[in-house]
């Protein structure tokens, strides 16, 4: 009998330890819920649980310790339509956690609406996180960087992190110590649909297989900062401290009204030869930049810059100079293809469309770019002594932007329409094959295993369109999702981007960020759907 009683007692204890299902807790600052602080709910919540936070100001920086699991994240939501203000969040080293609310009835705060948390005074910080979503939050007037990791490889890479549809603005103090929007050391991040404004740098970006798309950088005013050097995206790699930036995909972003003197849209440099290489900047517009568009300095190799539109860079320079798009100090094997680069040079003198020095010339390639300076009809200086522009480039023709101060779609009659060229070529023939070897596979992405990021579609030759299944960058072999045929030397183009948008509509691609006939809406940020379930 005692043996049976003992077994019954143990069974009862085991059953009591098994969770019947996920629990939804309520957090109400004035009482009446399960908890009065977010921190208390965070201590209690386990895999699959949700903390729903009701309206109020929570004078706390919750420090999370529990992780969810695959398919059962721990979720922190704002009650539908409520406004919730909190100092910050310390994510520590959690996995499978969602911070912020999917698109739903929103809080209205002046002219801004958002469905997640208002985070101000503190920061979002972490050490090493994995499979985490930060979405739909308003982060502003923080004590430093709006969203800050440890910034050292010592902590290990944070991976499969999704930063979606947040607003990052006034990180730090305007005029006296602005900080950046985000600092990342890791791999496989999706940074999608965010706005970065009034800060020192948009993103300090280090790691591999990052996707930065559908974001807006700007405005940044001269009065926002003093002696700082603001960059929309900066990657300045230090050996032993940073993960080198490799195979980043930067797509469908807008940088507009970005800073004054010394403000760049991009700064890419590898000062200690960490291995920064093969990053893609494509189908994005850059308007009214204080200084340079892209400054490549010191061993940032094999950058792939294609189908972008640039208007009025060096806007704060009285005497514009050649270093608007520059490759120097060993930045070898870059490719610059199908870009519109307009109004970026000294007025009234012959000048450069792009510049490279002798140490960066090996492997460099450029073609099918449109270079325009309003009122200039003269010649253009060559990129480097002994290197001449491609015969496919177009000079001194107005691209006919819809609105040169805000919308770089092109109008009917633009010389950019149908004037682009292929990105690479097939090496060898294929007969109903799924294995395509190309001269340079770095132009393309297989989605990097990120939820919501589609592998590229390509066109091979005149008509064969097919989606990519995977890319081997070391061998330049693309595995296709279905078999097609091609001839050796066939031209290879991008057909659909990572949003699934068709970007090649004619026989030849258009030059610039936006194919003719595409609407602003079709190229605008595309919020991922079903955000709550994006982490598997």
């Amino acid at each position: 009998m005692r043996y049976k009683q003992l077994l019954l007692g143990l069974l009862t204890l085991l059953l009591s330890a098994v969770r019947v299902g996920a629990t939804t807790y309520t957090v109400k600052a004035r009482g009446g819920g399960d908890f009065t602080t977010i921190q208390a709910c965070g201590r209690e919540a386990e895999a699959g649980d949700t903390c729903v936070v009701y309206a109020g100001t929570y004078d706390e920086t919750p420090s999370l310790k529990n992780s969810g699991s695959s398919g059962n994240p721990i979720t922190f939501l704002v009650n539908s339509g409520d406004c919730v203000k909190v100092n910050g969040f310390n994510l520590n080293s959690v996995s499978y956690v969602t911070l912020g609310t999917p698109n739903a009835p929103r809080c209205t705060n002046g002219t801004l609406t958002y469905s997640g948390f208002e985070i101000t005074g503190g920061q979002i910080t972490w050490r090493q996180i994995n499979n985490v979503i930060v979405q739909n939050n308003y982060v502003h007037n923080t004590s430093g960087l709006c969203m800050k990791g440890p910034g050292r490889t010592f902590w290990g890479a944070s991976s499969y992190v999704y930063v979606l549809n947040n607003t990052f603005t006034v990180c730090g103090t305007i005029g006296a110590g602005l900080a950046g929007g985000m600092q990342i050391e890791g791999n496989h991040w999706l940074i999608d649909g965010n706005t970065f404004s009034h800060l020192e740098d948009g993103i300090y970006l280090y790691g591999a297989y990052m996707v930065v798309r559908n974001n807006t950088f700007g405005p940044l005013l001269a009065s926002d900062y003093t002696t700082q050097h603001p960059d929309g995206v900066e990657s300045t790699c230090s050996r032993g401290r940073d993960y080198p930036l490799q195979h980043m995909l930067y797509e469908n972003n807008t940088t507009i009204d970005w800073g004054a003197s010394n403000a760049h849209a991009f700064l890419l440099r590898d000062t200690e030869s960490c291995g920064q290489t093969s990053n893609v900047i494509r189908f994005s517009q850059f308007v009214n930049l204080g200084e340079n568009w892209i400054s490549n300095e010191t061993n940032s190799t094999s950058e792939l810059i294609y189908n972008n539109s640039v208007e009025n860079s060096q806007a704060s320079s009285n005497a514009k100079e050649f270093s608007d798009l520059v490759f120097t100090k060993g930045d070898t094997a870059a490719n610059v293809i199908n870009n519109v680069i307009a109004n970026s040079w000294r007025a009234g003198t012959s000048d450069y469309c792009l510049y490279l020095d002798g140490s960066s010339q090996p492997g460099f390639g450029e073609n099918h770019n449109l270079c325009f300076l309003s009122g200039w009809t003269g010649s253009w200086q060559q990129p480097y002594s002994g290197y001449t522009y491609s015969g496919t480039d177009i000079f001194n023709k107005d691209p006919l932007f819809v609105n040169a101060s805000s919308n770089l779609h092109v109008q009917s009659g633009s010389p950019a329409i149908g004037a682009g060229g292929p990105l690479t070529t097939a090496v060898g023939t294929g007969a109903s094959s799924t294995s395509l070897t190309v001269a340079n596979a770095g132009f393309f992405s297989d989605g990097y295993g990120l939820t919501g990021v589609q592998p590229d579609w390509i066109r091979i030759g005149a008509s064969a369109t097919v989606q990519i299944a995977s890319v081997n960058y070391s061998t330049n072999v693309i595995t296709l999702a279905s078999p097609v045929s091609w001839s050796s030397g066939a031209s290879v183009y991008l057909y659909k981007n990572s949003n699934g948008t068709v970007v090649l509509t004619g026989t030849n691609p258009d030059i610039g960020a936006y194919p003719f006939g595409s609407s602003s809406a079709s190229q605008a940020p595309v919020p991922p759907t079903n955000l709550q379930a994006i982490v598997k």
Side-chain angles (χ1 to χ4, degrees):
M1 177 66 70
R2 292 184 62 189
Y3 178 70
K4 290 182 178 180
Q5 289 175 334
L6 179 60
L7 285 177
L8 181 61
L10 287 171
L11 180 61
T12 301
L13 181 63
L14 288 170
L15 288 174
S16 66
V18 175
R19 308 191 75 225
V20 174
T23 302
T24 297
Y25 298 105
T26 58
V27 181
K28 298 182 179 180
R30 296 183 179 180
D34 297 304
F35 304 98
T36 57
T37 66
I38 303 170
Q39 178 73 74
C41 191
R43 288 197 192 101
E44 185 71 22
E46 299 179 2
D49 291 347
T50 300
C51 295
V52 179
V53 185
Y54 282 69
T57 297
Y58 294 79
D59 187 15
E60 58 175 317
T61 301
S63 183
L64 308 186
K65 68 172 185 176
N66 296 331
S67 292
S69 61
S70 179
N72 295 286
I74 297 174
T75 304
F76 294 83
L77 302 179
V78 171
N79 185 53
S80 179
D82 280 355
C83 295
V84 172
K85 182 185 292 186
V86 61
N87 294 344
F89 282 89
N90 182 358
L91 302 178
N92 284 312
S93 297
V94 299
S95 300
Y96 296 102
V97 166
T98 296
L99 175 63
T101 309
N103 289 316
R106 297 183 164 200
C107 165
T108 299
N109 189 333
T111 60
L112 187 67
T113 61
Y114 49 92
S115 57
F117 295 91
E118 179 184 0
I119 298 169
T120 184
Q123 299 169 285
I124 302 174
T125 61
W126 71 89
R127 290 188 177 181
Q128 183 182 6
I129 54 176
N130 296 282
N131 294 284
V132 167
I133 303 171
V134 178
Q135 63 185 6
N136 293 306
N137 302 293
Y138 171 35
V139 190
H140 68 101
N141 295 95
T142 57
S143 57
L145 279 152
C146 278
M147 190 168 171
K148 180 181 184 297
R152 293 296 299 268
T153 57
F154 171 82
W155 292 104
S158 293
S159 303
Y160 294 97
V161 181
Y162 298 78
V163 183
L164 311 171
N165 305 321
N166 302 278
T167 296
F168 299 103
T169 187
V170 193
C171 304
T173 304
I174 281 183
L178 274 177
M182 298 175 61
Q183 175 195 56
I184 298 167
E185 295 276 357
N187 56 66
H188 296 94
W189 284 57
L190 173 59
I191 305 167
D192 192 337
N194 305 281
T195 298
F196 299 87
S197 66
H198 304 291
L199 34 74
E200 178 187 353
D201 286 88
I203 307 173
Y204 302 101
L205 190 60
Y206 301 95
Y209 306 110
M210 308 287 197
V211 176
V212 181
R213 68 179 189 185
N214 306 322
N215 303 285
T216 297
F217 297 85
L220 174 66
L221 307 178
S223 58
D224 289 342
Y225 62 100
T226 52
T227 60
Q228 295 144 315
H229 177 188
D231 303 295
V233 175
E234 177 180 347
S235 188
T236 304
C237 189
S238 299
R239 186 185 292 274
R241 180 183 179 92
D242 300 312
Y243 294 101
L245 188 63
Q246 299 177 341
H247 300 294
M248 171 201 65
L249 174 61
Y250 181 96
E251 176 180 80
N252 198 33
N253 299 287
T254 290
T255 303
I256 187 166
D257 298 330
W258 185 256
S261 177
N262 212 27
H264 301 162
F266 261 92
L267 178 61
L268 298 173
R269 60 187 174 191
D270 188 355
T271 55
E272 298 182 12
S273 299
C274 303
Q276 181 168 287
T277 188
S278 303
N279 299 298
V280 174
I281 301 171
R282 72 186 191 190
F283 290 93
S284 295
Q285 68 172 0
F286 303 84
V287 188
N288 299 334
L289 309 179
E291 274 289 334
N292 300 341
W293 171 30
I294 303 175
S295 184
N296 293 261
E297 301 175 1
T298 317
N299 304 318
S300 179
T301 64
S302 302
E303 309 299 9
L304 302 156
I305 301 166
Y306 66 94
N307 284 99
N308 300 284
S309 294
V310 187
E311 167 67 34
N312 194 31
S313 55
Q314 300 186 54
S316 297
S317 299
N318 291 325
K320 298 185 179 186
E321 33 79 19
F322 65 75
S323 58
D324 190 66
L325 175 58
V326 58
F327 304 88
T328 59
K329 301 177 183 178
D331 294 340
T332 58
N335 279 266
V336 181
I337 301 173
N338 295 345
N339 301 283
V340 176
I341 307 173
N343 293 314
S344 300
W345 308 275
R346 278 193 299 258
T349 65
S350 173
D351 221 317
Y352 297 87
C353 182
L354 56 93
Y355 175 83
L356 65 153
D357 64 9
S359 67
S360 303
Q361 185 175 348
F364 179 81
E366 66 84 22
N367 58 77
H368 293 89
N369 297 293
L370 190 159
C371 307
F372 174 71
L373 176 61
S374 181
W376 179 249
T377 59
S379 62
W380 295 69
Q381 295 185 46
Q382 301 300 326
Y384 174 72
S385 178
Y387 184 100
T388 59
Y389 289 109
S390 166
T392 62
D393 292 328
I394 300 172
F395 293 93
N396 300 335
K397 291 189 177 182
D398 190 335
L400 298 180
F401 292 136
V402 169
N403 187 328
S405 65
S406 61
N407 182 351
L408 303 191
H409 285 72
V410 296
Q411 303 177 64
S412 177
S414 168
I417 298 171
L423 301 175
T424 189
T425 56
V427 177
T429 60
S432 191
S433 176
T434 59
S435 182
L436 169 67
T437 302
V438 295
N440 189 344
F443 289 100
F444 308 110
S445 162
D446 58 14
Y448 305 151
L450 289 162
T451 302
V453 179
Q454 297 188 30
D456 288 345
W457 283 68
I458 58 176
R459 195 184 82 192
I460 310 170
S463 59
T465 59
V466 62
Q467 190 169 30
I468 290 172
S470 64
V471 180
N472 187 322
Y473 295 106
S474 61
T475 62
N476 287 314
V477 174
I478 300 173
T479 300
L480 306 174
S482 56
V484 293
S485 299
W486 61 88
S487 59
S488 181
S491 296
V492 182
Y493 310 81
L494 183 69
Y495 177 61
K496 290 184 183 180
N497 65 16
S498 73
N499 286 318
T501 302
V502 174
V503 295
L504 176 59
T505 56
T507 301
N508 298 314
D510 297 339
I511 298 176
Y514 305 124
F516 176 67
S518 64
S519 66
S520 298
S522 70
Q523 297 293 328
V526 181
T529 57
N530 194 20
L531 299 182
Q532 185 61 26
I534 198 169
V535 174
K536 302 298 185 184

